[in-house]
Amino acid sequence: MMRLGDVIVLELPAILMGTPGVIHPVALVGPDHVLTLVDTGMPGMLGDMTRELGAAGFTLGQVRRVIVTHHDLDHIGSLEAVVQATGAEVWALEPEVPYVTGERRAQKLPSPEQVQVMLRDPDLNPVTRAMLTREPVRVPVSRALRDGDLLPGNVRVIATPGHTPGHLSLLVPTGNILISGDALTSQDGALHGPLARATPDLPAAHDSVRRLARQDVQTVVTYHGGVVSDAAAQLRALADRLDGSP
């Protein structure tokens, strides 16, 4: 866990695509110590999040809302558990809402026909089999967000489509902290663009990076990679490298 003013960066160990890693949901501290959770990790991570919040001096019961950056399973896997435990409202960008509510099938899953073929393979990886057969996340969304919306604490919603149709990022004015979701990634303090193989619309995602580079950003919190300090120059340089990308 790392705290940047009113931004608490959680550190949750996870297995992603068969590789050990760490993911970084965020908790925003509001008035009266009410928490807004940004993303909820993989399925089964409710206890891990509770412990991380406890290390920062908070409880899960202080979570009053969850903002979903996008509907990939590593971001909404424990969403139902959090809502059940806290009664929190769920907010998501308007194009992402039907994926969070379960009205639309997750964008990156294989087609139903492909799934049936995969499940007939006796050597299918058990983790993949479990992912393909689990019930989709179905959570009511209390507020459909739009680009430019101001949230409690004057946190600004920035639409950053590409990785998914309704991906959003958040700009926290105190400290000029950008919560990028998967619009950006990082490694060892170095900022990178979105993961290409997990980004269906890469040109749109690169446009989103360029848009983020025009914001007044000092620190970036990437879901995959964590905190990048003194990020303004890195973000501008990244956007310049992406200019002309297909």
Side-chain angles (χ1 to χ4, degrees), residues 147-173:
D147 182 51
D149 279 353
L150 289 180
L151 308 183
N154 286 322
V155 174
R156 181 157 56 89
V157 175
I158 304 174
T160 45
H163 188 73
T164 67
H167 190 288
L168 67 79
S169 301
L170 299 172
L171 185 60
V172 181

Side-chain angles (χ1 to χ4, degrees), residues 116-129:
Q116 291 307 311
V117 171
M118 294 171 71
L119 292 177
R120 287 198 290 269
D121 180 0
D123 298 321
L124 182 65
N125 183 292
V127 174
T128 302
R129 185 178 297 276

Side-chain angles (χ1 to χ4, degrees), residues 32-227:
D32 299 323
H33 297 286
V34 166
L35 297 180
T36 297
L37 196 59
V38 184
D39 292 332
T40 63
M42 299 283 287
M45 286 190 164
L46 184 66
D48 295 329
M49 286 186 289
T50 301
R51 284 189 290 274
E52 283 285 281
L53 291 176
F58 294 88
T59 67
L60 187 70
Q62 292 170 272
V63 175
R64 292 291 179 268
R65 68 186 64 86
V66 180
I67 297 175
V68 174
T69 62
H70 64 294
H71 70 274
D72 283 350
L73 187 61
D74 58 328
H75 293 254
I76 64 170
S78 289
L79 180 59
E80 290 168 303
V82 170
V83 170
Q84 185 174 11
T86 65
E89 292 188 350
V90 177
W91 297 358
L93 202 69
E94 199 166 24
E96 206 77 359
V97 168
Y99 296 101
V100 179
T101 61
E103 297 169 53
R104 296 193 65 178
R105 179 180 174 82
Q107 181 192 17
K108 298 171 191 175
L109 280 178
S111 70
E113 295 77 17
Q114 291 172 317
V115 168
Q116 291 307 311
V117 171
M118 294 171 71
L119 292 177
R120 287 198 290 269
D121 180 0
D123 298 321
L124 182 65
N125 183 292
V127 174
T128 302
R129 185 178 297 276
M131 181 190 71
L132 294 175
T133 55
R134 76 182 307 274
E135 285 294 312
V137 173
R138 294 187 178 93
V139 175
V141 174
S142 301
R143 179 174 173 182
L145 300 171
R146 296 185 177 181
D147 182 51
D149 279 353
L150 289 180
L151 308 183
N154 286 322
V155 174
R156 181 157 56 89
V157 175
I158 304 174
T160 45
H163 188 73
T164 67
H167 190 288
L168 67 79
S169 301
L170 299 172
L171 185 60
V172 181
T174 305
N176 299 87
I177 299 170
L178 175 69
I179 301 168
S180 73
D182 284 357
L184 298 166
T185 60
S186 65
Q187 185 173 6
D188 299 326
L191 203 57
H192 302 285
L195 186 63
R197 68 177 182 271
T199 303
D201 190 344
L202 202 55
H206 287 174
D207 284 342
S208 292
V209 173
R210 287 186 278 267
R211 185 179 187 204
L212 291 175
R214 294 193 292 271
Q215 312 302 315
D216 186 4
V217 173
Q218 296 301 318
T219 301
V220 176
V221 181
T222 62
Y223 198 74
H224 301 284
V227 176

